[in-house]
Amino acid sequence: MKEAIRIIGIDPGLRNTGWGVIDSLGNSLRFVASGTIKSDNKLDLASRLNQLYAGLETVLHEFQPFEAAVENTFVNKDATATLKLGQARGIAMLAPARAGLRVGEYAPNAVKKAVIGVGHGDKKQILMMVKMLIPKATFDSDHAADALAIAICHAHHRTSPEWRMAAELGTVQ
């Protein structure tokens, strides 16, 4: 019998970075844990990024995932906010990479399609489907629920021939 693969999904944000850990075995998903890492908006940017990194490092150490998945950054009208989100996303990718994990990247629409069946949907639909797919899941914020959705998306994609080939070549995305 195959062993379950532990996956961490990360929803990057400078104020709130959501994380969710699941175990995946075939089509079966099991909730492990989730939460939100918050940075202190009174601190300078470098200190806030350090808080996110330290928080993710703690989560990675505690739950020992085998693979990670991070949501891609979307570009909005506010260039400064987009840049800060990109920096938080860099931390969200760096922490698992430094822990030796392969990191998959997924567009927001791909996550929604994997979880709710279509590429567009609202937070309520994502929350509802995460609860349906992993009934024992609990989350302290929408960010943590989104992180679980990212982990679910990765669980569905990680067995694809494209993912396996990219993983073997070291070009996982």
Side-chain angles (χ1 to χ4, degrees), residues 47-101:
S47 297
R48 293 176 74 187
L49 292 171
N50 187 51
Q51 286 178 323
L52 297 178
Y53 182 81
L56 283 171
E57 199 174 44
T58 299
V59 170
L60 291 165
H61 179 74
E62 182 175 349
F63 295 103
Q64 299 290 307
F66 184 73
E67 293 175 359
V70 178
E71 190 171 64
N72 280 336
T73 304
F74 62 91
V75 178
N76 59 34
K77 294 176 186 174
D78 182 353
T80 302
T82 301
L83 182 58
K84 287 179 180 178
L85 177 59
Q87 291 167 323
R89 185 173 177 275
I91 295 298
M93 294 181 67
L94 175 66
R98 297 255 322 146
L101 306 183

Side-chain angles (χ1 to χ4, degrees), residues 6 31 34 50 55 64 67 85 99 144 146 150 153-154 161 163 167:
R6 182 157 289 179
F31 173 73
S34 70
N50 187 51
Q64 299 290 307
E67 293 175 359
L85 177 59
D146 287 348
I150 295 162
C153 177
H154 182 71
W163 166 263

Side-chain angles (χ1 to χ4, degrees), residues 112-127:
K112 290 175 184 170
K113 188 170 185 176
V115 175
I116 62 177
V118 293
H120 300 283
D122 62 23
K123 294 277 186 198
K124 287 181 182 176
Q125 289 175 301
I126 293 170
L127 294 171

Side-chain angles (χ1 to χ4, degrees), residues 148-171:
L148 287 168
I150 295 162
I152 291 167
C153 177
H154 182 71
H156 292 316
H157 285 89
R158 70 174 303 280
T159 57
S160 72
E162 295 84 7
W163 166 263
R164 285 198 303 255
M165 183 178 293
E168 289 173 13
L169 295 173
T171 59

